[in-house]
Amino acid sequence: MASVAAGYLPILLFLGVALLLSTAFVVLPMIVSRLTGTHQPNPEKLTEYECGFPAFEDSRSQVDVRFYLVAILFIIFDLEAAFLFPWAVSLMGTGWAAWVAMMIFLGELVLGYIYAWKKGALEWE
């Protein structure tokens, strides 16, 4: 039973160090800013900010579709980078089925790119 618990020790140490570092990266800058005098809140700094829109408008207002199209473009290129690299590294061992699956995936990405292009997401004013 002790050997099973000892197997979890590295995981617990990793979680402890991660918790300590994440807390330090959040709390220490706040403490330092208070001590050095750079903490000077004003009404403009304290306003809410979301997606470039004023915070106190009607929630049912029209939103330009180009914001969503830029998000689609980001997802297209992000997914492409995230999936193509591991696939390319292991290409020799995966066979034809993986190659066909990746070509289908790339075809879907190209369709998304063409859709965003036709909708004018690449032409920002």
Side-chain angles (χ1 to χ4, degrees):
M1 190 66 168
S3 64
V4 173
Y8 286 107
L9 184 62
I11 297 171
L12 291 175
L13 286 174
F14 177 77
L15 289 175
V17 169
L19 183 64
L20 180 72
L21 286 176
S22 62
T23 303
F25 282 127
V26 170
V27 173
L28 284 179
M30 291 190 292
I31 293 172
V32 169
S33 71
R34 296 236 183 214
L35 295 176
T36 60
T38 57
H39 177 74
Q40 299 171 352
N42 59 32
E44 189 169 333
K45 283 184 181 178
L46 296 176
T47 59
E48 297 172 359
Y49 178 77
E50 295 178 6
C51 301
F53 298 108
F56 301 106
E57 283 189 3
D58 186 20
S59 62
R60 295 176 297 266
S61 64
Q62 291 285 330
V63 177
D64 194 359
V65 73
R66 287 179 293 188
F67 287 107
Y68 300 109
L69 293 175
V70 169
I72 290 171
L73 284 175
F74 172 75
I75 290 171
I76 287 171
F77 294 118
D78 186 48
L79 285 176
E80 185 178 6
F83 286 125
L84 276 179
F85 183 73
W87 173 77
V89 169
S90 65
L91 182 60
M92 295 302 287
T94 56
W96 284 102
W99 187 84
V100 170
M102 185 55 72
M103 292 305 116
I104 292 171
F105 174 72
L106 288 176
E108 291 173 355
L109 290 180
V110 168
L111 285 176
Y113 178 73
I114 291 171
Y115 173 76
W117 188 0
K118 294 289 184 185
K119 288 293 184 177
L122 301 176
E123 299 165 4
W124 202 263
E125 297 164 0

